[in-house]
Amino acid sequence: MELCSCYLFKDLTEDQKSKVVSVIKEFSIDSGQRIFTEGDEALTIYILKEGAVELMTIVEKDFELPVAILRNPGDCFGTPALLKPHVHSLTARCVEKSRLLTIKQSDLQEQIAKDPLLGCIIMTNLAAHFLGRLKESRKELKVHFKTLLRHTWS
Amino acid sequence: MELCSCYLFKDLTEDQKSKVVSVIKEFSIDSGQRIFTEGDEALTIYILKEGAVELMTIVEKDFELPVAILRNPGDCFGTPALLKPHVHSLTARCVEKSRLLTIKQSDLQEQIAKDPLLGCIIMTNLAAHFLGRLKESRKELKVHFKTLLRHTWS
């Protein structure tokens, strides 16, 4: 898996990529295992190497709504670890035996302290990703709104 | 207005703040004036100094849905200017005679090229802001979802 297949690490130089690679760890996880839960402290970001991970959001106690299934090598999650107050905004559950790469936020922060441009690029990529997700979420809201309007007017 | 009342410029040093201040311009705008339209090329970020600005999103041709009204000095908008492909994700319209501060993306980028840590802090603030908005948007979707569930089950 190429590191640049993860959106966070797009546009890095070879030197910057090797700084990131130096703090990556890898582990296997079985299907059905919960990786973290919405509201948990977020200290690590995760990158899918192989397998599948489902992201969910808590709607009500004991009821979680699926948000996405990640299947592409390089898909990453747990990125609120990179931002204060370091709290997971979603729940992640492994839905197929998977290999995951992990990066501890504190380890990445050490690299960024030595190379602020590395941090600037990663944070720009993260902001662009969240803006994209926000636009998608607004699009969904518009669909609901239009449905509502049709019901009100019909 | 203090620069740090704008979320983008939180946690900057005095030296970094003066770099930002050096590229700020200011202008007045009348109520009813459109500042930019969703889909327009985004080259400038805007900070409210006084007055009020409404943000809207296009639902259908000739129909825009209000997303927020900004009234607090330091509120900023047009931030997609900081990210490729530099396209406004919302429409902004002045709803009271206002004073606005503007920062050209290219001018800020020049400062960031000289001080990547400045860029890292601004982009971290931007990512944190978009994550916050994304969580709010998801919360709204959950409300719609719960309403839908109640209608389906009742």
Side-chain angles (χ1 to χ4, degrees):
Chain A
M1 195 201 82
E2 284 291 321
L3 193 64
C4 54
S5 62
C6 174
Y7 70 80
L8 280 179
F9 306 120
K10 250 185 3 181
D11 303 327
L12 296 189
T13 63
E14 289 308 314
D15 176 54
Q16 288 167 331
K17 276 185 211 166
S18 58
K19 284 175 185 164
V20 174
V21 167
S22 75
V23 295
I24 286 183
K25 293 197 170 58
E26 190 174 331
F27 73 105
S28 290
I29 182 165
D30 284 332
S31 180
Q33 293 265 62
R34 188 172 281 248
I35 303 162
F36 53 76
T37 299
E38 186 175 331
D40 280 357
E41 190 178 18
L43 299 175
T44 303
I45 59 172
Y46 298 80
I47 304 165
L48 188 69
K49 193 176 174 190
E50 52 184 65
V53 167
E54 184 175 36
L55 302 180
M56 298 165 293
T57 184
I58 299 166
V59 175
E60 277 175 351
K61 196 176 167 295
D62 301 326
F63 180 59
E64 288 169 319
L65 191 66
V67 171
I69 291 191
L70 310 181
R71 296 189 176 280
N72 298 318
D75 281 348
C76 78
F77 55 103
T79 48
L82 295 176
L83 301 168
K84 284 181 195 159
H86 305 288
V87 173
H88 283 300
S89 60
L90 295 171
T91 294
R93 198 169 54 96
C94 184
V95 288
E96 260 177 36
K97 190 174 167 51
S98 300
R99 294 284 294 166
L100 299 180
L101 307 180
T102 60
I103 300 177
K104 271 174 68 180
Q105 179 270 140
S106 53
D107 290 345
L108 188 61
Q109 221 55 56
E110 256 177 51
Q111 299 300 321
I112 290 173
K114 286 184 271 180
D115 179 357
L117 184 56
L118 170 66
C120 185
I121 299 171
I122 291 175
M123 289 306 176
T124 301
N125 290 337
L126 184 61
H129 176 76
F130 284 145
L131 177 60
R133 301 290 302 134
L134 181 59
K135 280 166 137 173
E136 280 176 40
S137 183
R138 274 196 199 123
K139 218 181 270 178
E140 275 187 67
L141 275 173
K142 285 182 205 178
V143 172
H144 285 285
F145 188 81
K146 280 197 245 182
T147 313
L148 194 72
L149 277 184
R150 266 198 297 276
H151 282 279
T152 319
W153 289 349
S154 60
Chain B
M1 197 200 82
E2 284 291 320
L3 193 64
C4 54
S5 62
C6 174
Y7 71 81
L8 279 180
F9 306 119
K10 249 185 6 180
D11 303 326
L12 296 189
T13 63
E14 289 307 314
D15 176 54
Q16 288 167 331
K17 276 183 212 167
S18 58
K19 284 174 184 162
V20 174
V21 167
S22 76
V23 295
I24 287 183
K25 293 199 169 59
E26 190 174 330
F27 74 105
S28 291
I29 181 164
D30 285 330
S31 181
Q33 293 265 62
R34 189 171 280 247
I35 303 162
F36 52 76
T37 298
E38 187 175 332
D40 280 357
E41 190 178 19
L43 299 175
T44 302
I45 59 170
Y46 298 81
I47 305 166
L48 187 68
K49 192 176 175 192
E50 53 185 63
V53 168
E54 183 174 38
L55 302 180
M56 299 165 292
T57 183
I58 299 165
V59 175
E60 277 175 350
K61 198 177 166 296
D62 301 327
F63 179 59
E64 287 168 320
L65 191 66
V67 171
I69 290 192
L70 309 181
R71 294 188 178 279
N72 297 316
D75 282 347
C76 77
F77 55 103
T79 49
L82 295 176
L83 301 169
K84 284 181 194 158
H86 305 289
V87 173
H88 283 299
S89 60
L90 295 172
T91 293
R93 198 169 54 96
C94 184
V95 288
E96 261 176 37
K97 189 173 169 53
S98 300
R99 294 284 294 166
L100 298 180
L101 306 180
T102 60
I103 300 176
K104 270 175 68 179
Q105 180 270 139
S106 54
D107 290 345
L108 188 61
Q109 221 56 56
E110 255 178 52
Q111 298 300 321
I112 290 173
K114 287 185 268 179
D115 179 358
L117 185 56
L118 170 66
C120 184
I121 299 172
I122 291 174
M123 289 306 177
T124 301
N125 291 337
L126 184 61
H129 175 77
F130 284 144
L131 176 59
R133 300 290 303 133
L134 182 58
K135 281 165 135 175
E136 280 175 40
S137 182
R138 275 196 198 123
K139 217 181 271 179
E140 275 186 68
L141 275 173
K142 284 182 205 178
V143 172
H144 285 286
F145 188 80
K146 279 198 249 183
T147 312
L148 194 72
L149 276 184
R150 265 198 297 277
H151 282 279
T152 319
W153 289 349
S154 60

